[in-house]
Amino acid sequence: MEASNSFVVVANRLPVDMTVHPDGSYSISPSPGGLVTGLSPVLEQHRGCWVGWPGTVDVAPEPFRTDTGVLLHPVKLTSSDFEGFYEGFSNATLWPLFHDLIVQPVYNTDWWQAFREVNLKFAEAVAQVSAPNATVWVQDYQLLLVPGILRQLRPDLKIGFFLHIPFPSPDLFRQLPWREEIVRGMLGADLVGFHLIQNAENFLALTKQVAGTAGSHTGQPDELEVHGTAKVRELGAYIRTPDARNVGVGAFPISIDVSAFGKASKSSVLNLLNDLGNPETTFLGVDRLDYTKGILQRLLAFEQLLEAGALDPEKAVLLQVATPSRERIDHYRVSRSQVEEAVGRINGRFGRMGHPVVHYLHRSLPKSELQILYSAADVMLVTPFKDGMNLVAKEYVANHRDGNGALVLSEFAGAAAELSGAYLCNPFDLESVKRQMVAAVYDLRQNPASARARMLANSEQVYSHDVNVWANSFLDCLKEAGENAKA
Ligand code: ADP
Ligand code: F6P
């Protein structure tokens, strides 16, 4: 077993999903989600080792290097792990709880046992591949217990933890029957990072409330230093743990590799618009098909604007690309059928033969095709009820560095804290979504200088705070936090 890796990332998913063919061979394709988008360029730069699940149950190939030099170390999950750990505790307990109860979380002791066992499995894999004194960066809510387990297994490691989804208010988190174990697990890290200052403050407040987790705090949230306009709050506060370590807590808003999201070629955009019947206004949504994303709400807003005559079905189209996600979980099934029913109804009401008003794809697209969609879209619709960051919003912005286009963005997406030029909406209030869609279209047509200034403000932010700023600020802080912990 290779134990020579000085920089190891562990995440539930590897950046690729495996498909096993009947003859036993397998192929790989990019895996979904913002975590992979954010971390892939970082791992490539560091030529790091990525420990994670290969996306198919009961199999795990030998470790291998990708074309871009990242060493992938697959961890095998059984189908029972997948049900209890992934579908159950991660995505039917933690996911809804951390997204402010958009649906009701399920608290199930068997799932909790599976979560503990699988976290142990990931931690053991990391312990085996990590060189002495290596830096290990643990990712996201599926692995909340890994820092604590690793601390026991390998006290020599420098351990960072980053949460890619929101961290809820202590009042919500305290519902969790296993809250103390989870907080203790997170505090196994030397540095715990969140996207937003609010998330970090929620965590700090929680550790004061949950018994037996933290001894004391040094530094109050409101005393903490804010670095730069991205509000990268480095080492915001320390929590002193009962085993006399100092754990750093801070906010580090994730971003994208801007070089991967430039404008598509003019001809490919013109071809697409031609296929769409050269609409005057093209709206676009790109999401995993998740009930947190507010896909139905944007469809309803579009439908109501058509109904009211505020949009002309001959001149406006909505493109919605939805990546299949967590498809066996009840709320995801319901969400998909609601979205697809709405697409059918809207096209039935407002389309004509050969000219639908909503174009809907339920699949993943290659980045090159997404780029064409981003470039063609006049108005990007990003309307989650709650979202840790939302990288799709930043990808659209990066694609529109020329100042064209407009972004309608939910105020409940983490990205809203940075993208001051977005048309902010409240997805719980359809009138607000409609108002901002209309305002964006109005500005593009009647007030282009203002629309342009808004997009330029957005793109300046994204280009000056790309994924390297995120990774470097976290890793620099982790270095400092590790040193501090030893002192
Ligand atoms: P989440 O992590 O919740 O899925 P983000 O918006 O942060 O949400 O990240 C989603 C990532 O997945 C983005 O990089 C986006 O480009 C990608 N993505 C989303 N939908 C699709 C799709 N249909 N095809 C290809 N990539 C997609
Ligand atoms: O961003 C949240 C997240 O759960 C990530 O952990 C993951 O990359 C992405 O969404 C996709 O989710 P899943 O791995 O469940 O398909």
Side-chain angles (χ1 to χ4, degrees), residues 31-38 95 99 140 164-165 195 254 256 261 285-290 292-293 320-326 361-367 370 373-374 382 387-395:
S31 59
L35 183 153
V36 167
T37 301
W95 182 267
H99 286 84
D140 226 355
H164 289 256
I165 65 174
H195 288 306
I254 199 172
I256 57 166
F261 288 97
V286 174
D287 317 74
R288 266 185 316 105
L289 210 167
D290 194 299
T292 58
K293 301 287 184 184
Q320 176 65 53
V321 191
T323 311
S325 187
R326 307 173 191 167
L361 297 181
H362 181 241
R363 73 180 82 123
S364 247
L365 294 181
K367 289 280 180 254
L370 275 189
L373 294 179
Y374 287 146
V382 178
D387 211 331
M389 174 53 67
N390 197 288
L391 292 184
V392 163
K394 291 189 174 181
E395 289 168 6

Side-chain angles (χ1 to χ4, degrees), residues 276-281 283 302-318 346-359:
L276 297 172
N278 292 311
E280 203 172 277
T281 309
F283 294 93
F302 185 63
E303 181 177 29
Q304 290 181 17
L305 289 173
L306 291 170
E307 197 170 64
L311 290 174
D312 178 346
E314 289 300 319
K315 295 181 177 163
V317 291
L318 168 55
I346 298 168
N347 280 333
R349 292 183 67 192
F350 298 103
R352 59 183 166 75
M353 289 300 170
H355 186 86
V357 282
V358 181
H359 296 252

